[in-house]
mmCIF file of all heavy atoms in Angstrom:
data_model
loop_
_atom_site.group_PDB
_atom_site.id
_atom_site.type_symbol
_atom_site.label_atom_id
_atom_site.label_comp_id
_atom_site.label_asym_id
_atom_site.label_seq_id
_atom_site.Cartn_x
_atom_site.Cartn_y
_atom_site.Cartn_z
ATOM 1 N N ILE A 11 70.524 132.643 74.887
ATOM 2 C CA ILE A 11 70.710 134.026 75.348
ATOM 3 C C ILE A 11 70.542 134.022 76.869
ATOM 4 O O ILE A 11 69.607 133.428 77.403
ATOM 5 C CB ILE A 11 69.759 135.010 74.632
ATOM 6 C CG1 ILE A 11 68.316 134.513 74.629
ATOM 7 C CG2 ILE A 11 70.251 135.247 73.212
ATOM 8 C CD1 ILE A 11 67.323 135.567 74.114
ATOM 9 N N ASP A 12 71.477 134.651 77.541
ATOM 10 C CA ASP A 12 71.520 134.579 79.005
ATOM 11 C C ASP A 12 70.528 135.552 79.637
ATOM 12 O O ASP A 12 70.299 136.643 79.110
ATOM 13 C CB ASP A 12 72.931 134.925 79.492
ATOM 14 C CG ASP A 12 73.972 134.020 78.867
ATOM 15 O OD1 ASP A 12 73.742 132.799 78.823
ATOM 16 O OD2 ASP A 12 75.007 134.540 78.395
ATOM 17 N N TYR A 13 69.998 135.153 80.790
ATOM 18 C CA TYR A 13 69.145 136.077 81.540
ATOM 19 C C TYR A 13 70.006 137.256 81.978
ATOM 20 O O TYR A 13 71.027 137.068 82.650
ATOM 21 C CB TYR A 13 68.546 135.391 82.764
ATOM 22 C CG TYR A 13 67.504 134.362 82.411
ATOM 23 C CD1 TYR A 13 67.607 133.046 82.852
ATOM 24 C CD2 TYR A 13 66.399 134.705 81.624
ATOM 25 C CE1 TYR A 13 66.644 132.097 82.534
ATOM 26 C CE2 TYR A 13 65.439 133.762 81.294
ATOM 27 C CZ TYR A 13 65.565 132.466 81.751
ATOM 28 O OH TYR A 13 64.613 131.526 81.428
ATOM 29 N N HIS A 19 78.694 133.235 84.755
ATOM 30 C CA HIS A 19 79.470 132.219 85.476
ATOM 31 C C HIS A 19 80.098 131.204 84.522
ATOM 32 O O HIS A 19 79.988 131.334 83.299
ATOM 33 C CB HIS A 19 78.644 131.551 86.572
ATOM 34 C CG HIS A 19 77.423 130.812 86.081
ATOM 35 N ND1 HIS A 19 77.467 129.837 85.120
ATOM 36 C CD2 HIS A 19 76.120 130.917 86.432
ATOM 37 C CE1 HIS A 19 76.265 129.357 84.907
ATOM 38 N NE2 HIS A 19 75.418 130.017 85.688
ATOM 39 N N GLY A 21 79.278 128.251 83.575
ATOM 40 C CA GLY A 21 78.383 127.620 82.601
ATOM 41 C C GLY A 21 78.180 128.508 81.375
ATOM 42 O O GLY A 21 78.256 128.040 80.239
ATOM 43 N N HIS A 22 77.944 129.795 81.620
ATOM 44 C CA HIS A 22 77.760 130.723 80.491
ATOM 45 C C HIS A 22 79.051 130.808 79.668
ATOM 46 O O HIS A 22 79.026 130.856 78.440
ATOM 47 C CB HIS A 22 77.413 132.130 80.988
ATOM 48 C CG HIS A 22 76.176 132.181 81.838
ATOM 49 N ND1 HIS A 22 76.173 132.677 83.113
ATOM 50 C CD2 HIS A 22 74.909 131.781 81.588
ATOM 51 C CE1 HIS A 22 74.944 132.605 83.608
ATOM 52 N NE2 HIS A 22 74.158 132.059 82.708
ATOM 53 N N GLU A 25 79.608 127.627 77.452
ATOM 54 C CA GLU A 25 78.743 127.571 76.269
ATOM 55 C C GLU A 25 79.232 128.521 75.171
ATOM 56 O O GLU A 25 79.272 128.176 73.990
ATOM 57 C CB GLU A 25 77.325 127.938 76.682
ATOM 58 C CG GLU A 25 76.331 127.866 75.556
ATOM 59 C CD GLU A 25 74.909 127.977 76.079
ATOM 60 O OE1 GLU A 25 74.509 127.103 76.863
ATOM 61 O OE2 GLU A 25 74.218 128.946 75.709
ATOM 62 N N ASP A 50 68.638 137.745 77.195
ATOM 63 C CA ASP A 50 67.208 137.550 77.386
ATOM 64 C C ASP A 50 66.800 138.555 78.466
ATOM 65 O O ASP A 50 67.207 138.426 79.612
ATOM 66 C CB ASP A 50 67.055 136.094 77.880
ATOM 67 C CG ASP A 50 65.635 135.605 77.865
ATOM 68 O OD1 ASP A 50 64.724 136.415 77.628
ATOM 69 O OD2 ASP A 50 65.442 134.389 78.101
ATOM 70 N N TYR A 236 66.677 133.843 67.692
ATOM 71 C CA TYR A 236 67.502 133.167 66.687
ATOM 72 C C TYR A 236 67.043 133.511 65.269
ATOM 73 O O TYR A 236 67.789 133.355 64.312
ATOM 74 C CB TYR A 236 67.412 131.652 66.861
ATOM 75 C CG TYR A 236 67.801 131.143 68.225
ATOM 76 C CD1 TYR A 236 66.977 130.257 68.930
ATOM 77 C CD2 TYR A 236 69.011 131.515 68.816
ATOM 78 C CE1 TYR A 236 67.344 129.762 70.164
ATOM 79 C CE2 TYR A 236 69.377 131.024 70.058
ATOM 80 C CZ TYR A 236 68.540 130.143 70.729
ATOM 81 O OH TYR A 236 68.904 129.657 71.953
ATOM 82 N N GLY A 277 72.463 124.376 76.879
ATOM 83 C CA GLY A 277 72.682 123.453 77.994
ATOM 84 C C GLY A 277 71.529 122.485 78.149
ATOM 85 O O GLY A 277 70.437 122.696 77.606
ATOM 86 N N ASP A 279 69.447 121.792 80.395
ATOM 87 C CA ASP A 279 68.204 122.154 81.083
ATOM 88 C C ASP A 279 67.162 122.762 80.146
ATOM 89 O O ASP A 279 65.997 122.862 80.519
ATOM 90 C CB ASP A 279 68.502 123.144 82.222
ATOM 91 C CG ASP A 279 69.235 124.390 81.726
ATOM 92 O OD1 ASP A 279 70.107 124.249 80.848
ATOM 93 O OD2 ASP A 279 68.936 125.491 82.215
ATOM 94 N N ILE A 280 67.583 123.187 78.960
ATOM 95 C CA ILE A 280 66.617 123.879 78.100
ATOM 96 C C ILE A 280 66.400 123.149 76.765
ATOM 97 O O ILE A 280 66.046 123.745 75.766
ATOM 98 C CB ILE A 280 67.007 125.364 77.900
ATOM 99 C CG1 ILE A 280 68.449 125.518 77.390
ATOM 100 C CG2 ILE A 280 66.866 126.139 79.192
ATOM 101 C CD1 ILE A 280 68.834 126.977 77.094
ATOM 102 N N HIS A 306 75.047 120.668 75.517
ATOM 103 C CA HIS A 306 76.188 120.387 76.402
ATOM 104 C C HIS A 306 75.707 120.115 77.822
ATOM 105 O O HIS A 306 74.582 120.456 78.190
ATOM 106 C CB HIS A 306 77.195 121.542 76.373
ATOM 107 C CG HIS A 306 76.657 122.834 76.907
ATOM 108 N ND1 HIS A 306 76.489 123.075 78.257
ATOM 109 C CD2 HIS A 306 76.240 123.959 76.282
ATOM 110 C CE1 HIS A 306 76.003 124.291 78.429
ATOM 111 N NE2 HIS A 306 75.831 124.854 77.244
ATOM 112 N N GLY A 307 76.601 119.508 78.611
ATOM 113 C CA GLY A 307 76.259 119.194 79.995
ATOM 114 C C GLY A 307 76.494 120.391 80.909
ATOM 115 O O GLY A 307 76.821 121.491 80.453
ATOM 116 N N TRP A 308 76.337 120.142 82.176
ATOM 117 C CA TRP A 308 76.498 121.207 83.160
ATOM 118 C C TRP A 308 77.776 121.013 83.957
ATOM 119 O O TRP A 308 78.169 119.888 84.245
ATOM 120 C CB TRP A 308 75.282 121.218 84.099
ATOM 121 C CG TRP A 308 74.245 122.175 83.615
ATOM 122 C CD1 TRP A 308 73.872 122.371 82.318
ATOM 123 C CD2 TRP A 308 73.476 123.075 84.416
ATOM 124 N NE1 TRP A 308 72.915 123.352 82.265
ATOM 125 C CE2 TRP A 308 72.649 123.798 83.541
ATOM 126 C CE3 TRP A 308 73.399 123.340 85.788
ATOM 127 C CZ2 TRP A 308 71.764 124.764 83.983
ATOM 128 C CZ3 TRP A 308 72.506 124.304 86.233
ATOM 129 C CH2 TRP A 308 71.706 125.005 85.335
ATOM 130 N N TRP A 309 78.360 122.120 84.321
ATOM 131 C CA TRP A 309 79.559 122.103 85.154
ATOM 132 C C TRP A 309 79.175 122.111 86.626
ATOM 133 O O TRP A 309 78.262 122.830 87.038
ATOM 134 C CB TRP A 309 80.404 123.348 84.896
ATOM 135 C CG TRP A 309 81.238 123.249 83.667
ATOM 136 C CD1 TRP A 309 80.898 123.662 82.414
ATOM 137 C CD2 TRP A 309 82.546 122.686 83.575
ATOM 138 N NE1 TRP A 309 81.916 123.396 81.540
ATOM 139 C CE2 TRP A 309 82.942 122.803 82.227
ATOM 140 C CE3 TRP A 309 83.424 122.100 84.491
ATOM 141 C CZ2 TRP A 309 84.178 122.352 81.772
ATOM 142 C CZ3 TRP A 309 84.658 121.653 84.043
ATOM 143 C CH2 TRP A 309 85.023 121.770 82.698
HETATM 144 N N1 MSP B 601 67.456 132.759 79.000
HETATM 145 C C1 MSP B 601 67.391 131.348 78.961
HETATM 146 C C2 MSP B 601 67.753 130.806 77.594
HETATM 147 C C3 MSP B 601 66.929 131.312 76.462
HETATM 148 S S1 MSP B 601 67.530 130.712 74.940
HETATM 149 C C4 MSP B 601 66.370 131.156 73.833
HETATM 150 C C5 MSP B 601 68.363 130.763 79.986
HETATM 151 N N2 MSP B 601 69.347 131.574 80.419
HETATM 152 S S2 MSP B 601 70.457 131.162 81.498
HETATM 153 O O1 MSP B 601 71.250 132.355 81.687
HETATM 154 O O2 MSP B 601 69.856 130.584 82.652
HETATM 155 O O3 MSP B 601 71.314 130.029 80.841
HETATM 156 C C6 MSP B 601 72.038 130.253 79.655
HETATM 157 C C7 MSP B 601 72.795 128.999 79.245
HETATM 158 O O4 MSP B 601 73.777 128.693 80.247
HETATM 159 C C8 MSP B 601 71.896 127.769 79.118
HETATM 160 O O5 MSP B 601 72.194 127.060 77.928
HETATM 161 C C9 MSP B 601 72.273 126.936 80.322
HETATM 162 O O6 MSP B 601 72.158 125.551 80.122
HETATM 163 C C10 MSP B 601 73.735 127.315 80.509
HETATM 164 N N3 MSP B 601 74.180 127.026 81.868
HETATM 165 C C11 MSP B 601 73.701 127.571 83.029
HETATM 166 N N4 MSP B 601 74.359 126.976 84.079
HETATM 167 C C12 MSP B 601 75.244 126.056 83.622
HETATM 168 C C13 MSP B 601 76.228 125.232 84.200
HETATM 169 N N5 MSP B 601 76.421 125.136 85.498
HETATM 170 N N6 MSP B 601 77.035 124.521 83.353
HETATM 171 C C14 MSP B 601 76.936 124.630 81.991
HETATM 172 N N7 MSP B 601 76.020 125.408 81.419
HETATM 173 C C15 MSP B 601 75.075 126.023 82.196
HETATM 174 O O7 MSP B 601 68.240 129.596 80.300
#
Side-chain angles (χ1 to χ4, degrees):
I11 49 171
D12 304 315
Y13 289 125
H19 61 54
H22 302 123
E25 182 169 299
D50 192 352
Y236 303 130
D279 56 321
I280 54 176
H306 64 76
W308 266 40
W309 280 92

